[in-house]
Amino acid sequence: CAVCGAPTDLAKAGYARLCGSCGAEHFPRTDPVVIMLAIDGDNCLLGRQPMFPKGFMSALAGFVEHGEGLEEAVRRELYEEAGIRTGRVAYAASQPWPFPSSLMIGAFAEAETTNIRLDEEELEDARWFTKDEVRAVLAGDGPFLAPPPMAIAWTLLKTWVDA
């Protein structure tokens, strides 16, 4: 506990901690993260971080800066990581993500440019994929490995191919 130093216990379904000694309630920090698909017609942009398993591709993501709106964060991250400029951003879904204490906010962004310029510290690879390629991947038979169904990146891909 930040007040008395005693250990705390989970409370309120895990989004709070309660001190059994002094009764203080603590609300651990949650950091917002945008995760997004840049869309260009029937193509979407996916990337690969060096730490990902071989063959795995996913939606790009990044932390929201202080004082930044979600749409701004989506546009900034896509430009910084892949050199893609985007226009309209649409919210899709959200997911709590405990690694570390994050709230993943999923979005689609309309690409205004398509030439990829990688930030090689962030990404090892980024490519445009067609809806047919992504459909095949989600069915377990495609040119890359997809995120698992419990991940918001899967939700973004599935929503996009079904649209």
Side-chain angles (χ1 to χ4, degrees):
C1 172
V3 176
C4 72
T8 59
D9 297 310
L10 288 177
K12 298 186 178 183
Y15 74 86
R17 299 199 62 90
L18 183 62
C19 178
S21 181
C22 73
E25 265 188 318
H26 300 278
F27 296 92
R29 175 180 168 151
T30 300
D31 296 314
V33 173
V34 289
I35 182 165
M36 57 273 167
L37 284 182
I39 306 297
D40 178 48
D42 280 342
N43 298 295
C44 77
L45 180 72
L46 298 174
R48 173 181 164 61
Q49 294 181 348
M51 67 181 182
F52 286 171
K54 280 268 188 234
F56 181 86
M57 300 289 276
S58 188
L60 304 189
F63 287 97
V64 178
E65 304 275 337
H66 291 283
E68 183 176 50
L70 299 177
E71 297 84 357
E72 293 170 299
V74 165
R75 289 184 191 105
R76 177 184 52 75
E77 286 290 339
L78 284 166
Y79 184 71
E80 286 178 1
E81 291 186 6
I84 302 299
R85 295 228 181 252
T86 56
R88 185 174 160 272
V89 173
Y91 169 81
S94 65
Q95 175 184 27
W97 195 253
F99 309 108
S101 303
S102 300
L103 175 63
M104 305 290 286
I105 302 148
F108 297 103
E110 290 179 4
E112 293 179 342
T113 63
T114 57
N115 290 332
I116 298 169
R117 178 194 37 79
L118 285 184
D119 174 344
E120 293 179 359
E121 289 182 23
E122 293 283 335
L123 296 176
E124 183 176 274
D125 189 14
R127 287 184 258 158
W128 292 96
F129 291 94
T130 67
K131 278 191 177 186
D132 287 340
E133 289 173 312
V134 173
R135 265 189 209 97
V137 165
L138 295 178
D141 183 33
F144 61 91
L145 300 174
M150 53 72 89
I152 192 168
W154 172 280
T155 301
L156 291 172
L157 292 169
K158 182 81 171 120
T159 300
W160 177 65
V161 298
D162 289 347

